[in-house]
Amino acid sequence: MSAVGQLRSLARENVAVAALTIPRLLRHSVWRDVNPHEGAGLGVVLVPGFGASDFSLTLATTWLRDRGYLPVGAGVGFNVGCTSELVDRIEQRLEEHAEATGGPVVLLGQSRGGGLARLAAVRRPDLVRGLVMLGSPVLDPMGAHPHVLLAARALAGLSAIGVPGLMDNDCLSGTCFEDNVAAATAPLEIPAVSVYSKSDGIVPWRLSLDPSAEHVEVHSTHTGMGLDPDVYLALRPRLAAWAAERFDLRDVG
C-alpha cells in the first residue's frame, strides 16, 4: 500500500469516524430483532482492545444482554498493562463468571483483547465455552500498525522510570513476550472464531488467521469492528449454537 493509502486507511480508524457506523447498526435487523431466550443465560466475558476500556464494548454488551446472555467486562482497565498480569486478571474473571453462571463462559475480545482472551483460553479451557477474536493479531502481536507499536514502546519507557501498571520492555521482547507468543499459537481445545477485515487499518488481516479458529471475513474498519452489523450477523448463530449445546437446547426433531 502506498504512503497516501496508509494515511487514508489510518484516518478511517479514528474513533469518531468509527462511531458514524452506530446508526447503521441500530437500524439493522440484527440489532432490532431481540430474542431474550437465545443466550439461555450463557456467560460472556468481554475484553477490550489496546488503550480501550470496558466502555468501548458497551454496544456489544447491550446486544448480548438483550438476547439472554450474561455479559461482564474483563476488568483490565485500559488494557495497557503487562500481558501476563492481564491474563491473570482475565483468568480470575473467568473463574468468577463461570461460577456465577453455572458453567463455562464465552470469551470475546477485540484486537489485543482477543489475543489476551486466547491466552486465557489456552490456560483454562475448562472455563471457556467458546472464543471470539475481533481483528486480533494472534499470529504476530508485534505486527500491528507502527503507530500502535510506538505507543506500546512509550508505555514501556514510562514503566522503566517507575510508572506502575504499564507493560514493560519484557512484554515487548523479553521472556514474557516469548512465553506469551508461544502460548498465543498453541492449539485451542475449545471452538473459536476469528473475525478479520481486509479494510483493517491497524492489524494486517492475515495476522488474524488463527489456525485453530474458524475465519470469518467482514468489511469493517479495525476500530469499528464492534459497531458493525456484519460482525453481529456472523456471531449470532455461532453464539446461539454454543448456548444451545451447553444447555442442551438443540433441536432434536
Side-chain angles (χ1 to χ4, degrees):
M1 183 183 295
S2 67
V4 173
Q6 290 179 351
L7 287 174
R8 287 175 178 170
S9 180
L10 190 60
R12 289 196 298 270
E13 296 296 349
N14 185 282
V15 174
V17 174
L20 295 176
T21 64
I22 294 177
R24 176 173 170 250
L25 172 62
L26 299 184
R27 291 193 302 266
H28 200 283
S29 60
V30 77
W31 181 273
R32 297 168 67 88
D33 179 16
V34 175
N35 178 358
H37 305 294
E38 191 171 297
L42 177 62
V44 184
V45 175
L46 297 98
V47 191
F50 176 72
S53 68
D54 289 340
F55 180 78
S56 67
L57 293 170
T58 296
L59 286 176
T61 299
T62 300
W63 184 85
L64 289 163
R65 186 177 294 121
D66 287 348
R67 281 149 190 84
Y69 298 91
L70 298 176
V72 296
V76 295
F78 283 93
N79 198 351
V80 292
C82 167
T83 298
S84 295
E85 292 177 0
L86 293 179
V87 176
D88 288 344
R89 287 194 214 172
I90 295 170
E91 181 182 0
Q92 181 178 352
R93 185 58 61 96
L94 274 175
E95 291 176 344
E96 294 169 350
H97 205 41
E99 181 176 357
T101 58
V105 304
V106 171
L107 271 171
L108 188 157
Q110 183 167 7
S111 193
R112 187 194 189 200
L116 295 174
R118 192 191 196 284
L119 291 171
V122 168
R123 186 186 291 184
R124 294 299 305 274
D126 57 308
L127 298 178
V128 182
R129 179 64 197 90
L131 169 67
V132 175
M133 298 169 284
L134 304 179
S136 301
V138 292
L139 298 186
D140 180 7
M142 300 300 289
H145 193 281
H147 288 189
V148 176
L149 299 182
L150 186 63
R153 292 190 175 96
L155 292 172
L158 291 172
S159 178
I161 62 174
V163 178
L166 303 177
M167 65 174 62
D168 57 24
N169 285 316
D170 195 40
C171 289
L172 301 179
S173 60
T175 302
C176 175
F177 173 79
E178 293 172 356
D179 290 346
N180 285 314
V181 165
T185 55
L188 290 168
E189 299 178 25
I190 45 90
V193 177
S194 181
V195 179
Y196 70 93
S197 172
K198 293 181 181 178
S199 301
D200 193 320
I202 301 296
V203 172
W205 63 273
R206 290 181 178 84
L207 299 185
S208 297
L209 302 184
D210 188 326
S212 292
E214 177 188 3
H215 307 150
V216 176
E217 182 180 2
V218 297
H219 303 285
S220 167
T221 62
H222 182 82
T223 307
M225 200 166 282
L227 311 174
D228 193 293
D230 292 341
V231 173
Y232 293 92
L233 284 170
L235 295 184
R236 187 168 193 176
R238 292 165 173 85
L239 291 170
W242 291 345
E245 288 168 5
R246 177 188 161 190
F247 293 100
D248 198 21
L249 300 176
R250 287 164 290 182
D251 182 1
V252 296

